[in-house]
């Protein structure tokens, strides 16, 4: 019954934000926003949050308006999404936060990826026949990596927060959202029915997300009292409340009851790590992105390096010529991903070589702009899997020019579908991102080598690509996306749409995207490209596979003193909010 007043005041807060933005808007829009554009970004001058869920974006903007910096706001958004976008926002998963600090000019990467429990072994996901058993790596307690989000968020505030907000204050809004409830609307209403198959095995999950055995209906309220208690415990006692004691024990019990091997020591030992960002450049812009254990930054830079010598602008946005060039540049990068990438604490990843211009030149020399290169030794018969990925990405910029690109995940939509009883915490199935054996595909059809095999304490290879670009040393763009293996290609195309094709940010995010990951040898295309273009691509030798949309590239761009915000229109409920 207390839900309404809070929500009403929350929504009232949202309209206040739009009114304030309208009142302070100067007479002319920045020149980059073409008046005849089909889509326009949100404009603001001080701060902006672009995320996959409106209430969470509003939480972040509220922190910015109260004097918090981008990191403070990003942490508040991270906890809020765990409540309002439960299929991807999380406490029970992990991810990566890229932080740019305006004062020092440094950009650092916080790695809070899940880790393999200490009792993990390289063969743990093989069945009796010696072949990968997806049930083990995706649908059992073995699939759950030790969650990193709570330690990651705490580390971010401690190291890079403004000092004006404590972790406790940044968690406060999410406690309220969980306790008082949120309406089952937009993406929540769209995604819950699809999760029932996984959740129906777990009464602890159904008790929260279902009614009478069916997904909570559109228009009802999702109240997460246990999650509120967990958030409240973290608020009062800090991250140890999650990693040690009752909550950790409940998580471990849920994992072990479903066949897993996680222990209380695994939880207690989890550490988030700060790593140097991967750096690159493209047509006069510089960029920082996520280093291993994500493959995202390395391959984003690698693909941009290959593309740099092509005149994409002259080829034209959405033309067969430019899409073919993009696809051919993606292939060698994904082939390298399969061979070289893994946890940098366990294997030596040749980041410098992979991201060098000289290496790109060699790879470009093998590309034929008129004919697709076939992926070697493709085994037919393994269709591209269509597991719904549910990672989520959000971008934050504050008035000082600090910026955060954060991508985090439970892996599948609602992770394993398992809520650890008594905690309200949905658990990830991230262990499937390891290679069950060399050459085996994960849920996204990605193959890997021994570099990404399962080892105790290792972090599974990711594709998450939170990225920040700079022009003349100044902040230019903050971007990234969910999408499993398509995260890298999605982020790439937002960047090329802006830099090569002069799109405003809203158009750059909305434009139809393509994806090629070397194996399977197929060019995935979103709806929106013309049949003529697809025909021309097929004539160049591409195996064109039209399919569903992918990604949610919630991004921010800074130009002419203005912030442009664009929430991806591919899902309902996404929101860029500025002030
Ligand atoms: N679970 C998807 C990724 O990390 O790439």
């Amino acid at each position: 019954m207390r839900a309404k007043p809070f929500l009403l005041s929350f929504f009232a807060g949202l309209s206040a934000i739009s009114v304030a933005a309208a009142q302070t808007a100067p007479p002319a829009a920045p020149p980059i926003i073409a008046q005849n554009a089909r889509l326009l970004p949100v404009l603001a001058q001080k701060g902006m949050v672009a995320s996959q869920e409106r209430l969470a974006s509003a939480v972040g903007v509220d922190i910015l308006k109260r004097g918090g910096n981008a990191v403070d706001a990003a942490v508040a958004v991270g906890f809020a999404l765990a409540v309002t976008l439960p299929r991807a926002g999380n406490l029970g998963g992990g991810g990566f936060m890229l932080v740019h600090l305006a004062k020092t000019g440094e950009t650092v990467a916080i790695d809070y990826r899940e880790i393999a429990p200490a009792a993990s072994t390289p063969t743990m996901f093989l069945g009796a026949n010696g072949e990968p058993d997806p049930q083990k790596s995706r649908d059992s307690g073995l699939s759950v990596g030790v969650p990193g989000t709570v330690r990651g968020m705490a580390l971010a505030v401690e190291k890079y927060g403004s000092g004006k907000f404590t972790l406790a204050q940044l968690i406060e809004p999410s406690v309220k959202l969980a306790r008082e409830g949120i309406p089952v609307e937009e993406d929540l209403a769209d995604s819950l029915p699809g999760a029932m198959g996984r959740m129906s095995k777990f009464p602890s999950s159904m008790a929260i997300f279902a009614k009478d055995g069916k997904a909570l209906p559109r228009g009802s309220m999702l109240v997460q009292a246990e999650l509120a208690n967990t958030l409240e415990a973290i608020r009062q006692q800090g991250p140890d409340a999650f990693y040690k004691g009752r909550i950790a024990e409940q998580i471990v019990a849920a994992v072990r009851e479903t066949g897993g091997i996680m222990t209380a020591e695994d939880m207690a030992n989890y550490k988030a790590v700060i790593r140097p960002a991967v750096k690159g450049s493209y047509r006069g812009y510089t960029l920082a992105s996520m280093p291993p254990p994500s493959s995202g930054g390395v391959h984003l830079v690698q693909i941009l390096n290959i593309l740099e010598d092509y005149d994409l602008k002259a080829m034209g946005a959405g033309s067969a010529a430019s899409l073919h060039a993009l696809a051919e540049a993606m292939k060698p990068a994904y082939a390298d991903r399969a061979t070289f990438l893994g946890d940098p604490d366990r294997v030596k990843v040749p980041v410098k070589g992979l991201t060098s211009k000289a290496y790109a030149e060699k790879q470009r020399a093998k590309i034929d702009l008129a004919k697709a290169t076939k992926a070697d030794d493709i085994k037919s018969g393994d269709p591209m899997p269509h597991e719904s990925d549910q990672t989520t990405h959000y971008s934050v910029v504050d008035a000082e020019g600090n910026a955060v690109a954060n991508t985090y995940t439970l892996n599948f939509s609602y992770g394993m579908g398992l809520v650890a009883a008594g905690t309200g915490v949905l658990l990830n199935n991230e262990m499937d991102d390891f290679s069950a054996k060399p050459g085996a595909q994960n849920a996204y059809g990605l193959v890997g080598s021994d570099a990404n095999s399962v080892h105790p304490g290792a972090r599974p290879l990711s594709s998450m690509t939170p990225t920040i670009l700079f022009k003349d040393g100044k902040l230019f763009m903050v971007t990234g996306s969910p999408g499993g293996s398509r995260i890298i290609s999605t982020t790439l195309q937002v960047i090329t749409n802006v830099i090569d094709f002069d799109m405003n940010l809203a158009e750059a995010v909305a434009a139809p995207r393509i994806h090629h990951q070397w194996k399977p040898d197929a060019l995935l295309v979103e709806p929106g490209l013309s049949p003529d273009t697809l025909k021309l691509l097929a004539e160049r030798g591409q195996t064109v596979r039209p399919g569903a949309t992918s990604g949610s590239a919630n991004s921010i761009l800074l130009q002419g003193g203005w912030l442009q915000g664009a929430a991806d229109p591919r899902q309902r409920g996404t929101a860029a909010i500025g002030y």
Side-chain angles (χ1 to χ4, degrees), residues 113 337 391 409 411 430 433 444 461-464 484-485 487:
R113 182 74 160 161
R337 183 191 192 280
T391 301
T409 185
N411 198 24
E430 213 72 60
D433 275 352
Y444 309 108
L461 184 59
S462 170
S463 300
M464 290 189 271
S485 56
I487 293 174

Side-chain angles (χ1 to χ4, degrees), residues 318-320 323 513-514 523-547:
S319 67
L323 297 174
R513 300 189 272 253
I514 59 149
L523 181 67
L524 306 186
V525 298
E526 283 190 327
L529 292 171
S530 79
D532 295 10
T533 306
L534 302 189
K535 193 163 162 272
L536 288 169
L537 284 165
E539 281 169 15
R540 280 175 153 86
Q542 301 288 355
T543 307
V544 178
R545 268 202 213 156

Side-chain angles (χ1 to χ4, degrees), residues 130-196:
E131 291 306 314
D133 179 351
Q135 196 277 332
K136 285 186 178 177
S137 64
R138 299 170 200 172
D139 287 317
S140 82
L142 287 176
S143 73
V144 185
V146 182
T149 297
V150 176
R151 284 253 184 259
M153 295 289 156
L155 181 63
V157 190
E158 186 194 318
K159 292 282 290 186
Y160 306 115
S162 65
K164 292 181 194 149
F165 287 84
T166 60
L167 180 67
Q169 287 170 308
L170 299 173
I171 294 176
E172 245 167 47
S174 44
V175 175
K176 276 189 176 164
L177 287 163
R179 185 137 358 254
E180 298 181 0
I182 56 167
V184 179
E185 299 289 359
E186 312 262 29
D187 186 70
L188 183 57
D190 293 345
S191 65
L192 259 183
M196 287 297 112

Side-chain angles (χ1 to χ4, degrees), residues 3-63:
K4 268 207 171 132
F6 173 64
L7 279 171
L8 284 180
S9 63
F10 216 95
F11 285 118
L14 284 185
S15 42
I17 288 165
S18 339
V19 171
Q23 281 166 354
T24 55
I32 184 74
I33 314 294
Q35 293 305 311
N36 62 355
R38 286 177 306 129
L39 288 165
L40 293 169
V42 172
L43 294 177
Q45 285 194 299
K46 290 190 173 159
M48 181 86 75
V49 179
S51 91
Q52 209 173 322
E53 201 285 320
R54 175 168 293 279
L55 292 169
S57 291
V59 164
V61 169
D62 184 51
I63 297 292

